Amino acid sequence: MSTVLTISRLGAQGDGVADTPKGPVFVPFALPGERVNVAADDKKADLVAVLEASPQRIAPVCKHFGDCGGCAMQHLDPDAYRAWKRDKLVDALKAKGIDTPVDPLVSVEPQSRRRAALTARKTEAGVLLGFNAALTHRIVDMEECHVLLPSIVEKLDVLRALAMLVGRTPKPFRLGVTQTASGLDVAFEDSGSLEGKPRQAAVDFATRNGFARVSVDGEILVEPKKPVVMVDDIAVPTPPGAFLQAVEAAEAVMADLVSAHLKKAKRVADLFSGVGTFALRLARNSEVHAVEGDAPALASLDRAFRATAGTLKRVTVEKRDLFVRPMTYKEFDAAFAGTAFDGVAFDPPRAGAEDQAKQLARSQVRLIAAVSCNPVTLARDLRILVDGGYVLKRVVPIDQFLWSPHLEAVALLEKPRRRK
């Protein structure tokens, strides 16, 4: 049913929100103050036409915007966009009763994202490759992208040709593409069984076209050059499909904040450590115990540390599912070898680290650096830590996920010393 609505505000996912007698209606790609004609369906509506445009509306930079589900906010004036993005963190903190100053948003440049999770599907006309349209399984065949590094976008046709060789299923399959210091690392998932001549053809193609590695469901198909990422000046070999911070410049900002906050800590626990984004940097000043549930990532961290030839302080590693078995306050306060931790960094997945935060809240760890890609779960975890006696010293929003509803943040906390 077609109807006219007036948009009152932006929602958390970037949709325009119209307040109606029946409740809020969410309209993707609409902006506050606009009168819009929509095709409404209960609480969701599709934008048909903008009848009165907001002065904050601008032309999107990408031809796919509005169809591709990768970006939600290219149509909003940059100043208004930055304010909306920062307010997501401010509002999440206030919802948990945390009223604290929040730094200005740290922005990243367009065409700076080094990894992408793309979807592909073989058709009679060739391979569709790109992001899915919002809230659908339809693949938007990518011709350009203003978020990804140009070195990835320039290889789209080569990636299509590789997907044609690797894909052995008519169903959609996924490929994670990461720009490493060695070249593109491509990890296929659910692309079907690849054996015999088709396998050799894919290997030959990947080698001829300079890919660093191609893997299928975690198995390395070919690896002409070991993929590595640089953590400062430390080369870290990465396993297939490894998690990395999306934008190298954003990672550097986060690492600088974490390292500066924890620089006086003699012994640091790096929780959800991954391949060592923070641990290897922290080890320049502190002994570090890195804890991670992903064994290949942890092995990469350990291998990179051992290759530094004594230039870092000791780094120990522990494979542990911190969601099932978080480190306890007793471990923090009376760690193995009889030395307590005086610093902790943690960077969990979007679900946050609720149980781990509860243990930290009971500990006497002096300094904590919390990194998160989800303001809502970060605010929940910070509330736990503040209730446990920690003081928020600084909160920094970082726009690592440009033009999307997602936001990275770093929160720095300190527990005052007990008076004797």
Side-chain angles (χ1 to χ4, degrees), residues 328-335 338-341 362-365:
T328 68
Y329 71 96
K330 292 182 180 180
E331 290 177 280
F332 290 122
D333 294 346
T339 305
F341 291 101
R362 299 178 65 185
S363 79
Q364 294 307 310
V365 173

Side-chain angles (χ1 to χ4, degrees), residues 6-7 9 33 42 61 94 111 139 142-143 156 179 194 204-205 260 271 326 339 342 345 359 364 368 393 398 416 418:
T6 298
I7 305 300
R9 64 189 185 279
D42 196 16
V61 297
K94 286 184 176 178
Q111 298 181 311
I139 300 169
M142 185 186 293
E143 296 180 14
L156 285 175
Q179 180 65 64
L194 185 64
D204 293 344
F205 181 87
L271 310 180
T339 305
D342 49 355
Q359 292 296 324
Q364 294 307 310
I368 294 177
K393 308 298 287 186
I398 302 166
R418 287 179 175 178

Side-chain angles (χ1 to χ4, degrees), residues 255 311 373:
T311 60
C373 61

Side-chain angles (χ1 to χ4, degrees), residues 270-316:
D270 181 18
L271 310 180
F272 308 96
S273 64
V275 298
T277 299
F278 300 116
L280 293 170
R281 290 176 167 101
L282 291 167
R284 298 193 185 280
N285 295 307
S286 313
E287 288 192 1
V288 178
H289 184 57
V291 185
E292 167 61 50
D294 185 328
L298 202 61
S300 292
L301 190 168
D302 187 53
R303 196 174 302 119
F305 165 67
R306 294 180 186 279
T308 60
T311 60
L312 302 179
K313 294 193 175 181
R314 186 174 66 149
V315 176
T316 55

